Amino acid sequence: MSEVRAPLPAGDRCRGGVLSGYPVDRIYEEVAFIAYYLHWKHDDIMEMDHRERRRWCEEISRIHRKVSKEPKNIFAT
């Protein structure tokens, strides 16, 4: 699995909404997930910082579980 590793000035932890060392595959997954469910443009999603993208993924997942009446933990009985 590849990782994003950009040189950052001393003390900086992220650039362009991507945490240093954050797996590229995970970014693609988040962007695809949001684009699929909300039909937002790639550039708009990529402009979000990492925390905002993750929050949207969590909210979409929560709504999806509620609408499909899935339990929070699919392994719970």
Side-chain angles (χ1 to χ4, degrees), residues 6-22:
L8 300 174
D12 284 355
R13 293 188 174 271
C14 67
R15 173 176 285 158
V18 178
L19 299 176
S20 178
Y22 195 71

Side-chain angles (χ1 to χ4, degrees), residues 1-47:
M1 177 162 41
S2 50
E3 294 185 358
V4 174
R5 293 201 186 272
L8 300 174
D12 284 355
R13 293 188 174 271
C14 67
R15 173 176 285 158
V18 178
L19 299 176
S20 178
Y22 195 71
V24 172
D25 292 344
R26 186 68 178 182
I27 295 167
Y28 277 103
E29 184 178 74
E30 292 171 4
V31 172
F33 187 77
I34 294 168
Y36 177 81
Y37 282 99
L38 300 182
H39 309 284
W40 290 354
K41 294 179 184 177
H42 173 268
D43 291 344
D44 294 338
I45 300 167
M46 288 302 293
E47 286 177 7

Side-chain angles (χ1 to χ4, degrees), residues 1 4 7-10 13 15 27 36 40-41 44 49-51 54 56 62 64-66 73 77:
M1 177 162 41
V4 174
L8 300 174
R13 293 188 174 271
R15 173 176 285 158
I27 295 167
Y36 177 81
W40 290 354
K41 294 179 184 177
D44 294 338
D49 67 31
H50 169 71
R51 287 182 184 95
R54 290 297 307 151
W56 278 108
R62 185 185 61 78
H64 182 71
R65 282 190 303 270
K66 185 176 180 180
N73 178 350
T77 55

